[in-house]
Amino acid sequence: MRRTQIQLTERQTEHLRRLSAELGVSMSTLVRQAVDLLLQSGGQADREALWRRAMTAAGRFNSGLTDVSEKHDEYLTDAYDDPHRRLR
């Protein structure tokens, strides 16, 4: 491996530090993974592939709730208050 010096914003550094601690990997590992993803994508996301992926996900999930369109704000607030709690 080669040592390379980069400059990150304070925000990027803090987010990277937190993610590193959560995942139990070094910040360097995360940066290398991000670079690999960028290189694999040719530097930009394939919009057509992203659209196809989004369309295949549409309708695949069912919460079992019948009033989501009416109470979406309530459900969203509940989800953000406790991201580990399932929708009731």
Side-chain angles (χ1 to χ4, degrees), residues 46-66:
D46 178 358
R47 294 184 69 76
E48 177 77 16
L50 290 174
W51 184 84
R52 283 193 308 270
R53 184 174 175 199
M55 295 312 296
T56 59
R60 288 184 59 199
F61 305 96
N62 182 1
S63 67
L65 301 171
T66 59

Side-chain angles (χ1 to χ4, degrees), residues 7-60:
Q7 293 182 337
L8 302 173
T9 65
E10 287 185 34
R11 181 176 171 265
Q12 290 170 324
T13 303
E14 185 54 37
H15 283 299
L16 193 59
R17 184 173 287 126
R18 253 188 266 131
L19 186 59
S20 171
E22 287 174 19
L23 298 175
V25 297
S26 69
M27 290 173 57
S28 296
T29 296
L30 293 177
V31 170
R32 284 191 298 272
Q33 290 173 350
V35 169
D36 284 343
L37 287 172
L38 179 66
L39 295 174
Q40 288 172 5
S41 72
Q44 60 185 346
D46 178 358
R47 294 184 69 76
E48 177 77 16
L50 290 174
W51 184 84
R52 283 193 308 270
R53 184 174 175 199
M55 295 312 296
T56 59
R60 288 184 59 199

